[in-house]
Amino acid sequence: MRINETSYGLYSYQKQQNRVNHIQTNSSKKTSSSANVEISSQGREISQAMMSDQAQRQQRVQELKQQIAAGTYQIDSGKVADKMIDFWKGTSR
């Protein structure tokens, strides 16, 4: 068996390693710069309203879980039927 080029695999590995090192160097330069983000007062109000809604929703979910566990949760079959009909008619809200 005759092997002509013994350094072929080494050079391709070295080129790949150089690419990886170059990418890592460039990405570290980009992350070293700082960025400032400012949120408007309206954005803060929206965020607070969303968190408030989330807290209310979480409280309602806990209430429902307790009712289901206690066996006191009542289902209004008329509302369920109305929602199903609205869904199938394509007028669901």
Side-chain angles (χ1 to χ4, degrees):
M1 181 172 167
R2 183 174 175 177
I3 301 174
N4 293 333
E5 187 88 32
T6 58
S7 59
Y8 174 73
L10 177 64
Y11 287 133
S12 64
Y13 173 77
Q14 197 170 22
K15 286 180 184 180
Q16 179 64 26
Q17 195 62 32
N18 288 340
R19 284 188 208 136
V20 170
N21 290 340
H22 180 69
I23 291 170
Q24 288 174 348
T25 303
N26 287 342
S27 65
S28 66
K29 288 179 183 177
K30 291 179 183 177
T31 58
S32 64
S33 64
S34 63
N36 293 327
V37 176
E38 292 184 26
I39 300 174
S40 68
S41 60
Q42 186 178 16
R44 280 188 236 114
E45 287 176 16
I46 292 171
S47 176
Q48 289 173 352
M50 288 176 59
M51 288 191 311
S52 174
D53 289 345
Q54 182 68 18
Q56 291 172 355
R57 184 180 183 98
Q58 192 67 17
Q59 181 181 1
R60 178 67 178 143
V61 168
Q62 289 302 322
E63 290 172 5
L64 291 172
K65 283 183 179 181
Q66 289 173 354
Q67 289 177 0
I68 291 169
T72 59
Y73 180 70
Q74 297 295 320
I75 298 171
D76 185 354
S77 58
K79 283 185 179 180
V80 172
D82 289 340
K83 291 289 183 174
M84 290 174 67
I85 291 170
D86 289 345
F87 174 78
W88 289 110
K89 285 183 177 178
T91 58
S92 62
R93 291 172 239 140

